DNA sequence: ATCATATTGTTACTATTTTCACAATAACCA
DNA sequence: TGGTTATTGTGAAAATAGTAACAATATGAT
């Protein structure tokens, strides 16, 4: 099994690039085209494909529709992905309203918050009381959650939802969460992303 | 110069962990404590420090306050970082309202949007017309921008702001941006983050 | 039908990152 | 003061990731 996160991220980028190429009317693609589109190298593209047993045609490149089918299957995009959002603060609400997920086959079924003032069962993405989250996860068979609660609430929230069946968490709380048995946690730490950028900008400035 | 992004991200995590330990009353810390707090290894911690010439005391560990000073200096946290946000849609607005940046010494001075309906010069973070962004960047000496515009607007926006002096962009538009001379672009692609999580959750499910 | 060419698929190589192992040594104890 | 112990700092080893090179081969031209 491939455990290289960057490799999987590249697959997503290939997929996105292929849709763009397809929209432009292309039917086939060569490894170097694809490399250009995603800022990689032709070797890397072919290597990545070979890792997943994806093959093209000597001198003929890869047929885009077949390639997309295979990538989509690897990335689990052959079925609608149901997701919930925990925390209806600024970030959580923005994610619930964000249109970008839909066209990727990712559907946010509900948001959950502890604050009664935030509850709204009639909005496009209903916002429900946190007490209902366990039942909701079980009833809908949800595996993936986005966590956008304050740091102090994060660990407890993760334990609650993993107990109910969540297997993957995209964590926006600015805090490393202790691993929970049987649940993968990917952290998106906005402060750290910015700090990182600032570091490299400063390094560049010093070089010059 | 250290160019390993993961290493710099670890430094941020160490820093955050150190503040938590300090808040708990700790004065010194050992490499294995710190490793535990950030989910790393003691070797990794010491190696990272050694790369930056940070040294501790044999048998005495590291003094937290000194360590924090050094990390903060490396990460550019000894001065307020001024940032602007381009795009006042869901994500952009959420980032402008997000409180987490402030306590990291990151101050969002303004938001910019092309839509006149979004302009609000009197909000906590003023939202100004995009036409004013170049003048604003120059007047305030801003180096870092957060880009939260639709994909089709992203490339043009980057060119506009780098022309005015921006050196680093944190890009939330779901699109790979072509590198611009003299400007570092860090991409945060929420769809790809979720896809990645979904892939690994599915892999785990298959193993079992 | 043969040849030249373009492109894949894979293996070997290189670079980077992480882990290991242990000498050096400061702190503590008797 | 001398011996023991805990912890650092680093150089070497291992693991992982990425790049390059090229044989295999399908395609198209003559």
């Amino acid at each position: 099994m491939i455990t290289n996160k960057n490799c999987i991220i590249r697959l997503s980028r290939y997929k996105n690039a292929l849709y763009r190429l397809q929209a432009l009317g292309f039917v086939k693609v060569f490894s170097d085209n694809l490399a250009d589109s995603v800022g990689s190298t032709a070797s890397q593209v072919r290597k990545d494909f070979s890792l997943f047993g994806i093959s093209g045609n000597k001198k003929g490149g890869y047929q885009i529709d077949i390639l997309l089918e295979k990538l989509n299957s690897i990335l689990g995009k052959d079925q609608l992905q149901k997701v919930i959002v925990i925390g209806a603060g600024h970030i959580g609400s923005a994610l619930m309203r964000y249109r970008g997920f839909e066209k990727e086959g990712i559907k946010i079924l509900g948001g959950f918050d502890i604050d009664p003032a935030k509850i709204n069962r009639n909005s496009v993405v209903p916002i429900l009381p946190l007490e209902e989250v366990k039942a909701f996860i079980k009833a809908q068979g949800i595996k993936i959650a986005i966590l956008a609660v304050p740091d102090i609430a994060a660990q407890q929230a993760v334990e609650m939802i993993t107990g109910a069946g969540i297997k993957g968490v995209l964590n926006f709380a600015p805090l490393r969460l202790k691993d929970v048995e049987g649940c993968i946690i990917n952290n998106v730490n906005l402060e750290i992303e910015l700090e990182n950028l600032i570091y490299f900008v400063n390094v560049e400035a010093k070089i010059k």
Side-chain angles (χ1 to χ4, degrees), chain A residues 91-127:
Chain A
I91 301 282
S93 304
L95 294 172
M96 281 185 250
R97 289 195 211 101
Y98 181 55
R99 305 264 65 132
F101 294 134
E102 219 156 276
K103 55 185 168 193
E104 290 299 335
I106 294 164
K107 177 135 179 95
I108 298 180
L109 293 187
F112 295 86
D113 205 288
I114 210 169
D115 176 2
K118 299 244 174 73
I119 308 309
N120 181 352
R121 293 177 190 273
N122 302 315
S123 52
V124 181
V125 176
I127 299 176

Side-chain angles (χ1 to χ4, degrees), chain A residues 101-176:
Chain A
F101 294 134
E102 219 156 276
K103 55 185 168 193
E104 290 299 335
I106 294 164
K107 177 135 179 95
I108 298 180
L109 293 187
F112 295 86
D113 205 288
I114 210 169
D115 176 2
K118 299 244 174 73
I119 308 309
N120 181 352
R121 293 177 190 273
N122 302 315
S123 52
V124 181
V125 176
I127 299 176
L128 310 172
L130 194 58
E131 304 95 79
E132 297 180 19
V133 74
K134 284 189 164 197
F136 192 94
I137 291 167
K138 285 174 187 161
Q140 304 274 352
I142 294 174
K143 298 275 174 289
I144 308 284
I146 297 173
L147 193 64
V149 300
D151 50 3
I152 44 162
Q155 189 68 46
Q156 206 190 343
V158 164
E159 276 154 30
M160 177 190 284
I161 61 180
T162 52
I166 291 294
K167 301 292 181 200
V169 171
L170 190 62
N171 174 41
F172 284 84
L175 181 78
R176 193 186 82 91

Side-chain angles (χ1 to χ4, degrees), chain A residues 4-20 34 37-39 45 48-49 52 54 67-68 70-77 104 106 186:
Chain A
N4 179 342
K5 186 173 170 177
N6 286 334
C7 174
I8 308 304
I9 288 177
R10 284 194 300 268
L11 295 192
S12 286
R13 293 195 197 284
Y14 299 150
K15 179 208 58 167
N16 293 345
L18 287 167
Y19 278 121
R20 287 198 296 275
L34 211 39
S37 316
V38 305
V45 171
D48 286 341
F49 287 175
F52 288 92
I54 294 174
L67 197 46
L68 272 171
K70 288 180 177 168
L71 290 175
N72 280 332
S73 160
I74 292 165
L75 294 169
K77 305 202 77 63
E104 290 299 335
I106 294 164
N186 274 16

Side-chain angles (χ1 to χ4, degrees), chain A residues 51-67:
Chain A
L51 286 172
F52 288 92
I54 294 174
S55 58
N57 310 297
K58 292 258 155 70
K59 205 165 174 193
Y62 304 84
Q63 208 177 316
I64 293 181
D65 54 356
I66 295 176
L67 197 46

